[in-house]
Amino acid sequence: MLNSLQYLDLAIVLAFVAVSVLAGFAARRRASRNLDEYFLGGRTIKGWRAGVSMAATQYAADTPLLVAGLVAVGGVFSLWQLWVYGLAFLLLGFVLGAAWRRAAVLTDAELTTERYSGRGVLGLRVTKAIYYGTLINCVVMAFVLLAATRIFEIFLPWHDWLPAAFYRVLLGLGGDIATTNTALSITLVLGFVALYSATGGLRSVITTDVMQFALMMVGTAIYAWYSVAAAGGTQAMLDGLVTQYGEERAARMLSFTPPAAEALVPFLIILSLQWLFQVNSDGTGYLAQRVMACASDRDARVAAMVFTTAQVLVRSLLWLPIAIALLVIYPFDATAPAQGLAAAREITFVQGINDLLPAGARGLMLTGMLAALASTLDTHLNWGASYWSNDLYKALWVERWQRRIAKPRELVLVARLSNVVIISLALYIMVHLDSIQRAWQISLLFGAGIGGVLVLRWVWERINLYCEVAAMLVSIVLAPILLATVDAFWMQLLVMVLASTATVVITAYWAPPTDRTQLIRFFERVRPPGFWQETATAAGEDPRDSRRELRRGLLSVAAAACSIYGLLIGVGLLILHPGDWLLSMALIAAGLLAAPFWLRRL
């Protein structure tokens, strides 16, 4: 049975559940009108709310565990593989966000029908809906659920709470206590998330995400305070790191730069390529969905800036002291082999919540972790359902095969029912996760092959339907070969990027171009930035306007990146390297001085 302190923690969790469910039912009527209301909130979402929602989704229950593992294995420097994606987020906001909004599509798969011409358009749309909406979407959900089981194992001991007679019935279905508890926890969490997200659509998802993100940040800040205090304070924590692991290894753990000169070239290649050549390079997916739901172009830019600030700057500065403190509080053998170290260190993030936080604070952090899980699942359910209802059911089944017009409420019903299909597939993948690890690695490298063409289709008029198909084919063929023959990820990435980009450019010049009428219609509707010389001229517009728009956007991206990364490293150095205060102040000053250049753009 629960004691009085556990009741306090449970009360905080139940209050969060109740508010989330009520938010779903409050938005139910408007969400039931049509797919625009259900998936895009009627395109009336304020920028800051969309940005916070994206940040809540990206927080995820597994990400702080991942950070704890990365810092233990590769030090603070290894977090650049997460931070570098901030450049893609800024590109979405300052260059492509307004274009996504003006395209007035419901999903990124639907964009193919607006951007390209030819008999293969519907086929490409359906292929992308299946790949993004089912394969990628369900695999991500499976990984998040798998990471969540580590939280469930510690904080949800159902065998201690439920009546013995009732639990024996469940035990007979599950086989053992650990399996039964995990199955019950996952069922309840998925049922809870599906209830409010399927009921209220994107409005309820965003409303709960804003509340969830606030809980996550408050809980994480409290956790950071208690973990540093448990390590003896900031200076004692840094001294303890040296005592435990030696001066050389401690310095590597705390470094923001590559640990050795030979790592500089791989670092620069990954830093320059990974953010752009990835499956969501232009925002494809739920990021584009949030931007398309914004009320104005300005809101779209605000959304991306709020998202990047919360994602890269705020949460990282809270996670850094926690990750370092856990290395001191739960030390490991520095001479032990690295294999298996990351997984062993990931669990310390959850263990610290249980060991270091008092009642109430523990309940708040547990609620924050549950909120992180819920905010990721609700987004992926809502986003996945948009492909099933809009691209597979409406475009393929109803309009192409049945040759009729689908009713708005019929489509909303399909959207809600498709949540069940998505959940079932995600659970199936999670159960068989060990057998698809290799396939997931291939899908990551596959994303590197198609990322370039996703950005180029917005900024270069010569990109056609065959460019995207060619990029997919190169990725499918080359990814398994690289994974089997090349060990270093940076080299895999470089070869894939060069091969894919060369193929796309050659195809753009030699394959049949997009119909001129289609391009003019797309240009007049979207006003894309970049190189649209012939199309703009044919539409009676000055082609220099598009190039100027691209230039202004890229300068804003550069200025915003200076602010984000200057403040991140500057404040991070103050925490982890207090002796480097002069460099810290210089970086913080540079970040603040760059702010007016991108603020003007907002």
Side-chain angles (χ1 to χ4, degrees):
M1 299 297 291
L2 294 111
N3 58 42
S4 58
L5 296 179
Q6 287 175 320
Y7 274 117
L8 176 60
D9 293 337
L10 184 60
I12 295 173
V13 174
L14 292 178
F16 158 72
V17 171
V19 172
S20 298
V21 172
L22 288 174
F25 280 96
R28 178 178 177 275
R29 179 170 295 181
R30 283 185 294 179
S32 300
R33 292 174 184 168
N34 53 56
L35 290 187
D36 245 30
E37 292 286 344
Y38 188 84
F39 288 119
L40 297 179
R43 304 181 192 267
T44 60
I45 305 300
K46 293 293 184 183
W48 72 269
R49 285 169 58 84
V52 171
S53 176
M54 289 189 279
T57 299
Q58 285 268 323
Y59 188 109
D62 60 324
T63 313
L65 280 67
L66 173 66
V67 168
L70 286 174
V71 172
V73 175
V76 173
F77 161 72
S78 63
L79 297 181
W80 277 106
Q81 58 190 293
L82 302 178
W83 293 337
V84 72
Y85 289 110
L87 295 173
F89 306 151
L90 295 173
L91 182 73
L92 171 65
F94 289 107
V95 177
L96 303 177
W100 271 114
R101 267 199 75 258
R102 293 192 289 262
V105 294
L106 198 68
T107 67
D108 48 79
E110 186 183 354
L111 182 69
T112 59
T113 62
E114 300 297 323
R115 176 63 175 84
Y116 305 126
S117 61
R119 298 182 61 182
V121 168
L122 180 61
L124 180 60
R125 177 178 179 179
V126 169
T127 299
K128 296 178 78 168
I130 293 173
Y131 178 73
Y132 288 112
T134 303
L135 179 60
I136 292 294
N137 191 35
C138 291
V139 169
V140 170
M141 289 179 64
F143 270 91
V144 170
L145 286 171
L146 186 65
T149 60
R150 298 182 177 180
I151 304 170
F152 298 154
E153 289 170 1
I154 293 179
F155 292 106
L156 299 178
W158 296 105
H159 60 287
D160 291 335
W161 298 347
L162 296 176
F166 178 70
Y167 190 80
R168 277 196 296 270
V169 175
L170 296 177
L171 193 62
L173 299 173
D176 58 65
I177 290 177
T179 303
T180 302
N181 284 355
T182 298
L184 182 57
S185 299
I186 289 177
T187 300
L188 290 174
V189 167
L190 284 175
F192 152 63
V193 172
L195 179 61
Y196 73 78
S197 64
T199 301
L202 187 67
R203 279 195 180 89
S204 65
V205 169
I206 289 180
T207 298
T208 53
D209 280 353
V210 170
M211 174 189 65
Q212 289 161 357
F213 187 75
L215 279 171
M216 295 174 217
M217 291 298 99
V218 172
T220 306
I222 293 173
Y223 188 15
W225 175 274
Y226 275 98
S227 60
V228 172
T234 303
Q235 190 57 52
M237 176 182 73
L238 299 176
D239 293 340
L241 205 65
V242 175
T243 302
Q244 183 64 42
Y245 303 102
E247 190 170 345
E248 183 180 348
R249 180 152 189 173
R252 287 204 308 269
M253 286 178 170
L254 296 176
S255 177
F256 284 84
T257 56
E262 60 268 20
L264 182 60
V265 172
F267 170 66
L268 292 176
I269 288 176
I270 291 176
L271 198 67
S272 59
L273 298 180
Q274 185 175 324
W275 67 275
L276 181 60
F277 293 91
Q278 42 106 5
V279 74
N280 304 115
S281 57
D282 70 335
T284 288
Y286 63 85
L287 300 181
Q289 183 196 43
R290 296 298 191 276
V291 167
M292 291 187 291
C294 285
S296 66
D297 291 354
R298 177 185 178 277
D299 283 303
R301 289 190 287 270
V302 168
M305 195 64 210
V306 168
F307 168 44
T308 310
T309 303
Q311 169 83 348
V312 177
L313 180 61
V314 178
R315 74 172 191 171
S316 295
L317 291 177
L318 291 176
W319 281 345
L320 275 177
I322 296 174
I324 300 301
L326 292 176
L327 290 173
V328 177
I329 299 167
Y330 305 112
F332 64 92
D333 184 0
T335 63
Q339 186 176 9
L341 176 61
R345 296 307 303 178
E346 286 171 3
I347 197 65
T348 60
F349 191 92
V350 181
Q351 186 179 349
I353 296 173
N354 191 51
D355 295 347
L356 306 178
L357 299 183
R362 184 172 55 245
L364 189 62
M365 188 58 196
L366 175 58
T367 305
M369 295 299 287
L370 176 60
L373 172 63
S375 63
T376 303
L377 294 177
D378 63 23
T379 288
H380 281 273
L381 281 175
N382 184 271
W383 170 48
S386 68
Y387 292 107
W388 280 74
S389 56
N390 185 63
D391 301 304
L392 299 179
Y393 182 78
K394 177 176 176 283
L396 181 63
W397 176 254
V398 175
E399 295 178 350
R400 173 55 64 91
W401 289 347
Q402 293 190 334
R403 300 197 179 276
R404 65 179 178 87
I405 298 175
K407 298 176 181 178
R409 291 186 179 272
E410 170 191 358
L411 294 174
V412 173
L413 177 61
V414 171
R416 286 177 169 145
L417 292 176
S418 62
N419 281 273
V420 178
V421 179
I422 294 168
I423 287 174
S424 301
L425 291 172
L427 287 174
Y428 178 82
I429 292 173
M430 188 192 78
V431 171
H432 297 81
L433 203 55
D434 289 341
S435 66
I436 67 163
Q437 290 282 353
R438 191 68 169 171
W440 177 239
Q441 291 177 333
I442 293 174
S443 72
L444 291 177
L445 199 55
F446 173 86
I450 65 174
V453 73
L454 295 182
V455 174
L456 285 174
R457 65 183 177 177
W458 293 101
V459 300
W460 190 25
E461 62 185 349
R462 293 196 70 97
I463 295 296
N464 52 61
L465 173 73
Y466 306 97
C467 292
E468 287 208 37
V469 175
M472 287 183 177
L473 291 176
V474 168
S475 300
I476 292 172
V477 173
L478 192 56
I481 296 173
L482 290 174
L483 288 167
T485 59
V486 180
D487 293 329
F489 173 71
W490 67 273
M491 183 59 72
Q492 293 174 349
L493 179 66
L494 181 61
V495 173
M496 177 64 81
V497 166
L498 292 175
S500 175
T501 303
T503 302
V504 167
V505 172
I506 291 171
T507 305
Y509 280 103
W510 289 98
T514 303
D515 179 73
R516 178 65 63 192
T517 303
Q518 181 80 6
L519 280 178
I520 293 174
R521 185 163 54 244
F522 178 80
F523 179 84
E524 291 177 338
R525 181 176 186 175
V526 175
R527 300 289 173 180
F531 304 96
W532 292 80
Q533 175 81 28
E534 295 179 11
T535 306
T537 303
E541 303 285 345
D542 187 346
R544 291 174 296 180
D545 290 342
S546 294
R547 294 196 295 272
R548 280 193 290 263
E549 182 67 17
L550 177 62
R551 185 169 59 251
R552 284 195 294 264
L554 292 177
L555 288 174
S556 298
V557 169
C562 287
S563 291
I564 296 292
Y565 295 114
L567 292 172
L568 172 64
I569 302 173
V571 177
L573 287 175
L574 282 180
I575 298 171
L576 303 181
H577 299 271
D580 295 336
W581 64 270
L582 190 60
L583 177 59
S584 300
M585 291 297 104
L587 289 169
I588 292 172
L592 295 176
L593 289 173
F597 294 95
W598 56 263
L599 280 171
R600 216 178 295 130
R601 182 72 171 166
L602 294 184

